Amino acid sequence: MDEKTLIAKRVALELMDGDLCNLGIGLPTLVARYVPAGRNVFFQSENGIVGMSGPVAGADNPDLTDAGGSPISALPGAASFDSVLSFGLIRGGHLDVTVLGGLQVDEEGHLANWMVPGKMVPGMGGAMDLVTGARRVIVAMQHSAKGESKIVKRCTLPLTSVRRVDLIVTDLAVIEPTDAGLVLKETAPGVTVEQVLANTGCELILSPDLRPMPLEG
Amino acid sequence: MDEKTLIAKRVALELMDGDLCNLGIGLPTLVARYVPAGRNVFFQSENGIVGMSGPVAGADNPDLTDAGGSPISALPGAASFDSVLSFGLIRGGHLDVTVLGGLQVDEEGHLANWMVPGKMVPGMGGAMDLVTGARRVIVAMQHSAKGESKIVKRCTLPLTSVRRVDLIVTDLAVIEPTDAGLVLKETAPGVTVEQVLANTGCELILSPDLRPMPLEG
Amino acid sequence: MSKLISLEDAVARIPDGASLLIGGFMAVGGPNRLVDELIRQRKSNLTIIANDTARPNFGLGKLVVEKLVAKVVTSHIGLNPETQKQMIAGDIQVELVPQGTLAERIRSGGVGLGGVLTPTGVGTSVEEGKRTVEIDGKTYLLELPIKADFALIAAKQADLYGNLTYALTARNFNPIMALAGATVIAEAEDIVPVGCIPPDAVMTPSVLVDHIVANTKR
Amino acid sequence: MSKLISLEDAVARIPDGASLLIGGFMAVGGPNRLVDELIRQRKSNLTIIANDTARPNFGLGKLVVEKLVAKVVTSHIGLNPETQKQMIAGDIQVELVPQGTLAERIRSGGVGLGGVLTPTGVGTSVEEGKRTVEIDGKTYLLELPIKADFALIAAKQADLYGNLTYALTARNFNPIMALAGATVIAEAEDIVPVGCIPPDAVMTPSVLVDHIVANTKR
């Protein structure tokens, strides 16, 4: 199993029956494939639909796309709406969980994921609204990039929100930001605690319930 | 012609082709009957429809009523919507004209029409939004009530808005509030300027274009 | 994953003293079965947020007549003399709110805004006790968001997930109330299987609705 | 009382330097005929308010490539490298706004509110230069309303009065932009006679729309 699949599978276990869930572009999109059997999860695309599903070959519709403009499909019971209602769901506390990629997460659980000054300024899109408004924010990302840990003492990149994220799932570990700091809760298959610590740019508190990362619900 | 019909006919001449218009309950409702031929006016009912028309006997629908809960009908091209969009039209400057009843209008053109302290407190309903938000506010009312002029130096009843109304149409006169004060523009058929002045509780400026009130478009 | 619940069970979840957003405009589009069941179960000391208090013998007007309401936040009580009578007698607390402001306050509660900045009410008695904010030389009242323990709403159609449609002027406050109730209970004229309401026809998406009242009696 | 107008005439009304709200999300649901005609008529120095700048060769992304845009207010430029390139070169001014805030700012302009009070952006670079308001111990940014000289939108169906419907995710910013443009110009996939769109299916009421672009070429 590659690292992205591992992360997506682990994140999918966090989705509960009946949840309204928004997946960011890139890695988080994979999560939809691994929802545990028996859980009916409603996926929102912030451009204006609840009940989205993967594209159906030969049935692309130019009026039915995801937030990146790529074709999607919709399940029975889907509902479409405009951008203010879409973000009303996100900002009004109606979104149970959002899964987003990250550039950095720091010791306080702050996420930076929308720009690298001087290099890449895509814009925040809906990320600031999602992190500020969702009931639960899960960051799904590689633990390190180009040899540097993405989990740091203090974000050097511009923050997406000052709201503390709820869970960080990486290819090495599951980490929960708390009042006391970042708590290491799970290690990925074949990964030791020492490896996680060595690849993390700030202190981690070891959970008394530290366990191997489960990948099936 | 009775006084109410006279007022309604005169007000109707103010409605222009294509206007979006909201009529208050009571006397203003009569205005819809006298829209000049050739002018297509869209009437809004603030409970959520544009394109309302009078009720059709035998075709009452419990889901299609005016703001008082009485049956109405709808013209081809009507549109229904929720209360935030209905008041979005009113407050966002999209409503061309509102016609409202009045308890008092004063020298500054301020309207009081929603309560008589200690006696009658129906609530403001949509009146404050209509007076504050409509592009043009026309007050349609009897000139006097119980022997007292309803056009006064300063409203003694609680104001509906501090926005100056645009026109006052009564059974005696048409009066326009301006920076300089209330300007008498028209007198009703058979009514003299002296009669208007004698029945008005504040000074009136005589318009240089003072004319008899027209009643046909 | 059906959200069907009996009328009796739906109302049994509502405690005395609860705050209730109640849809409808002069009881048109109001959840009249739920209102009748509130009376039958004698739920009392209620705070009602609604456009109006209807008429004494129609829709939520009956709750006032039955003396089950401690407080009402509304824009109009003119057609229910009982509300005015109880208000003057001090038996019911009435907060009068301009209708457009009431709608925006409920919406702002439902979509997570801090409040509403509106010119409506500036310089009138509605301004009393409220903060004002100057923006570009113009004065706006800061009106606070409204949320409630429950939203009781009425739809034309509901599917089993809770997607709702409304008909004509019966839509009114229902869609915004579905955003602002901690628990949202909907009654519907027709209940249809999932997939029978096209996505573009849905006016309240299912994810906002907690319970659909079954069409069986009570 | 038809609002039909030719594509050429519709765009001829737009002066150089105008501010334009443009519907669509990655150009899905965008007024792509109007955009192409803006280019053909070489309207320049435009201020564009839109969710994103699409892709270089798709929808309003083409306006950027053609160097007709002086300023853009948007939430995302990541898929149009040309916008980023011109921004870095100082040829285009870019104001980045969180997507939900952008939607609420446009809506607030369209419905006559003084601004939007939102927690989104508090403590981030989005807060810079903005007022904050404390409400019940929580901090909100005061985000100002957005209006524009024109709103250019795209519908699935339009009737001759200007009632509009949208399909699926092509709805997005179009309905709120119809509220916030001083002049609203809509193109539509289908134009139908008055009465063909049921009142409950209308998503933008006709009274908000000034011109419907005829389906004849140009």
Side-chain angles (χ1 to χ4, degrees):
Chain A
M1 181 172 4
D2 70 11
E3 293 169 349
K4 290 185 179 180
T5 305
L6 176 116
I7 294 170
K9 281 192 161 189
R10 176 60 190 88
V11 170
L13 300 185
E14 298 293 314
L15 306 182
M16 299 299 145
D17 192 39
D19 271 0
L20 176 61
C21 175
N22 186 301
L23 302 176
I25 50 173
L27 196 164
T29 307
L30 299 179
V31 171
R33 297 187 195 167
Y34 304 108
V35 177
R39 297 189 198 169
N40 192 9
V41 174
F42 294 83
F43 289 102
Q44 177 195 33
S45 187
E46 65 263 36
N47 50 330
I49 196 162
V50 162
M52 71 177 284
S53 63
V56 174
D60 287 356
N61 183 319
D63 292 330
L64 183 53
T65 62
D66 65 17
S70 299
I72 57 171
S73 192
L75 299 170
S80 50
F81 34 74
D82 67 12
S83 294
V84 273
L85 183 53
S86 193
F87 280 85
L89 295 177
I90 292 167
R91 295 154 58 119
H94 307 285
L95 184 69
D96 295 296
V97 55
T98 185
V99 183
L100 291 165
L103 296 170
Q104 291 179 329
V105 183
D106 69 19
E107 218 169 29
E108 295 183 68
H110 291 157
L111 169 68
N113 80 340
W114 69 279
M115 73 175 289
V116 182
K119 280 195 183 163
M120 181 190 75
V121 190
M124 67 292 282
M128 287 190 172
D129 301 296
L130 286 161
V131 178
T132 305
R135 291 196 192 174
R136 198 141 186 268
V137 177
I138 300 175
V139 177
M141 64 178 191
Q142 304 277 339
H143 207 96
S144 305
K146 297 175 190 166
E148 303 246 331
S149 182
K150 294 168 77 171
I151 300 177
V152 297
K153 183 140 187 72
R154 197 171 174 82
C155 287
T156 53
L157 296 173
L159 294 186
T160 304
S161 174
V162 292
R163 176 250 177 89
R164 184 166 77 198
V165 304
D166 298 283
L167 203 67
I168 308 161
V169 178
T170 76
D171 50 318
L172 299 187
V174 174
I175 293 167
E176 185 183 9
T178 69
D179 282 342
L182 299 180
V183 176
L184 177 61
K185 306 208 41 162
E186 300 172 10
T187 51
V191 174
T192 64
V193 170
E194 291 65 33
Q195 282 175 300
V196 175
L197 296 177
N199 282 282
T200 300
C202 64
E203 272 185 54
L204 293 181
I205 300 162
L206 300 195
S207 168
D209 305 318
L210 184 63
R211 62 172 186 171
M213 191 186 285
L215 293 174
E216 305 293 340
Chain B
M1 179 172 7
D2 69 11
E3 293 169 350
K4 289 184 179 179
T5 305
L6 176 117
I7 295 170
K9 280 193 160 187
R10 177 61 190 87
V11 169
L13 300 184
E14 298 293 313
L15 305 182
M16 298 298 144
D17 193 39
D19 271 0
L20 175 62
C21 175
N22 186 301
L23 302 177
I25 49 172
L27 197 163
T29 308
L30 298 178
V31 171
R33 296 187 195 167
Y34 304 108
V35 177
R39 297 190 198 168
N40 192 8
V41 175
F42 294 83
F43 289 101
Q44 176 195 33
S45 187
E46 64 262 37
N47 50 329
I49 195 162
V50 162
M52 71 178 283
S53 62
V56 174
D60 287 357
N61 183 318
D63 292 329
L64 184 53
T65 62
D66 65 17
S70 300
I72 57 171
S73 192
L75 298 170
S80 48
F81 33 76
D82 67 13
S83 294
V84 274
L85 182 52
S86 193
F87 279 86
L89 295 177
I90 292 167
R91 294 153 58 119
H94 308 285
L95 184 68
D96 295 295
V97 55
T98 185
V99 183
L100 291 166
L103 296 170
Q104 292 179 329
V105 183
D106 70 19
E107 218 168 31
E108 294 183 71
H110 291 158
L111 170 67
N113 80 341
W114 69 282
M115 74 174 290
V116 181
K119 282 196 184 164
M120 183 190 76
V121 189
M124 66 293 281
M128 287 189 172
D129 302 295
L130 285 161
V131 178
T132 305
R135 291 197 193 175
R136 197 139 188 269
V137 178
I138 300 175
V139 178
M141 65 179 189
Q142 304 279 339
H143 207 95
S144 304
K146 298 176 189 164
E148 304 246 332
S149 182
K150 294 168 77 172
I151 300 178
V152 297
K153 183 137 187 76
R154 199 172 171 81
C155 287
T156 52
L157 296 173
L159 294 185
T160 305
S161 174
V162 293
R163 177 252 177 89
R164 185 166 76 199
V165 304
D166 298 283
L167 204 66
I168 308 162
V169 178
T170 76
D171 50 319
L172 300 186
V174 174
I175 294 168
E176 185 183 9
T178 69
D179 281 343
L182 299 181
V183 175
L184 177 62
K185 304 204 49 160
E186 300 172 11
T187 51
V191 175
T192 64
V193 170
E194 290 67 32
Q195 282 175 300
V196 175
L197 296 177
N199 282 282
T200 300
C202 64
E203 272 185 54
L204 293 181
I205 300 162
L206 300 195
S207 167
D209 305 319
L210 182 64
R211 63 173 184 170
M213 191 188 283
L215 295 173
E216 305 294 339
Chain C
M1 209 213 61
S2 155
K3 291 176 178 167
L4 278 186
I5 186 175
S6 75
L7 178 59
E8 185 166 1
D9 285 354
V11 170
R13 288 161 188 258
I14 301 171
D16 288 345
S19 59
L20 311 179
L21 288 153
I22 301 186
F25 197 115
M26 285 305 297
V28 173
N32 295 329
R33 290 176 68 210
L34 284 161
V35 165
D36 286 346
E37 183 68 11
L38 283 168
I39 293 168
R40 199 191 67 82
Q41 293 190 24
R42 305 302 307 168
K43 300 294 182 178
S44 63
N45 197 27
L46 301 171
T47 292
I48 303 294
I49 303 118
N51 178 64
D52 54 72
T53 54
R55 294 178 193 271
N57 297 310
F58 194 39
L60 68 85
K62 294 190 254 183
L63 295 173
V64 178
V65 174
E66 298 281 343
K67 299 192 184 289
L68 299 173
V69 183
K71 181 178 177 182
V72 60
V73 180
T74 189
S75 77
H76 201 258
I77 60 173
L79 297 174
N80 191 336
E82 187 64 27
T83 313
Q84 297 196 50
K85 209 175 90 187
Q86 290 184 25
M87 178 178 71
I88 289 162
D91 292 338
I92 193 172
Q93 192 187 337
V94 176
E95 179 184 343
L96 288 171
V97 182
Q99 199 168 116
T101 297
L102 182 64
E104 287 288 344
R105 287 178 65 189
I106 295 166
R107 179 182 182 276
S108 75
V111 303
L113 299 176
V116 180
L117 295 165
T118 178
T120 298
V122 168
T124 74
S125 59
V126 167
E127 183 176 326
E128 284 164 26
K130 288 177 188 149
R131 290 159 72 179
T132 58
V133 178
E134 303 283 321
I135 301 169
D136 283 340
K138 206 176 155 188
T139 304
Y140 296 88
L141 288 192
L142 171 53
E143 295 273 11
L144 297 180
I146 292 177
K147 298 177 104 169
D149 301 328
F150 293 85
L152 309 185
I153 62 178
K156 186 75 178 178
Q157 281 198 323
D159 72 19
L160 293 173
Y161 278 173
N163 286 304
L164 307 180
T165 72
Y166 311 95
L168 299 164
T169 57
R171 190 178 330 184
N172 56 68
F173 280 73
N174 288 297
I176 48 173
M177 288 179 169
L179 285 159
T183 298
V184 176
I185 305 175
E187 60 177 74
E189 206 171 304
D190 300 322
I191 299 178
V192 299
V194 169
C196 287
I197 305 178
D200 286 334
V202 172
M203 297 176 190
T204 293
S206 65
V207 289
L208 292 172
V209 177
D210 297 288
H211 307 294
I212 301 287
V213 176
N215 271 342
T216 37
K217 201 164 179 315
R218 230 180 262 164
Chain D
M1 211 213 59
S2 155
K3 291 176 178 167
L4 277 185
I5 187 173
S6 75
L7 178 61
E8 185 166 2
D9 286 353
V11 171
R13 289 162 187 258
I14 300 170
D16 287 347
S19 59
L20 311 179
L21 288 152
I22 301 186
F25 197 115
M26 284 307 295
V28 172
N32 295 330
R33 290 176 67 213
L34 284 161
V35 165
D36 286 346
E37 183 68 10
L38 283 168
I39 293 168
R40 199 191 66 84
Q41 294 190 24
R42 304 303 307 168
K43 300 293 180 178
S44 63
N45 197 27
L46 302 171
T47 292
I48 303 293
I49 303 117
N51 178 66
D52 53 71
T53 55
R55 294 179 192 271
N57 296 310
F58 194 40
L60 67 86
K62 293 190 253 184
L63 294 173
V64 178
V65 174
E66 297 282 343
K67 298 191 185 288
L68 299 174
V69 182
K71 180 178 177 181
V72 60
V73 179
T74 190
S75 77
H76 201 258
I77 59 174
L79 298 174
N80 192 336
E82 187 64 27
T83 312
Q84 298 196 50
K85 209 175 91 187
Q86 290 184 25
M87 179 178 69
I88 290 161
D91 293 337
I92 193 172
Q93 192 187 339
V94 176
E95 179 185 344
L96 288 171
V97 182
Q99 200 168 117
T101 297
L102 183 64
E104 287 288 345
R105 288 179 65 188
I106 294 167
R107 179 183 183 274
S108 76
V111 302
L113 299 177
V116 181
L117 295 165
T118 178
T120 299
V122 169
T124 75
S125 59
V126 166
E127 182 176 327
E128 283 164 28
K130 289 178 188 149
R131 289 158 73 181
T132 58
V133 178
E134 302 282 321
I135 300 169
D136 284 341
K138 206 174 155 188
T139 303
Y140 296 88
L141 288 192
L142 171 52
E143 294 274 11
L144 297 180
I146 292 177
K147 297 177 105 169
D149 301 329
F150 293 84
L152 308 184
I153 62 179
K156 185 75 177 177
Q157 280 198 323
D159 73 19
L160 293 173
Y161 278 173
N163 287 304
L164 306 179
T165 72
Y166 311 95
L168 298 165
T169 58
R171 192 179 327 186
N172 54 69
F173 280 74
N174 288 296
I176 48 173
M177 288 179 169
L179 285 159
T183 297
V184 177
I185 304 174
E187 61 177 72
E189 205 171 305
D190 299 322
I191 299 177
V192 298
V194 169
C196 287
I197 305 178
D200 287 333
V202 172
M203 297 177 189
T204 292
S206 65
V207 291
L208 292 172
V209 177
D210 296 290
H211 307 293
I212 301 287
V213 176
N215 271 343
T216 37
K217 201 163 181 316
R218 227 178 265 164

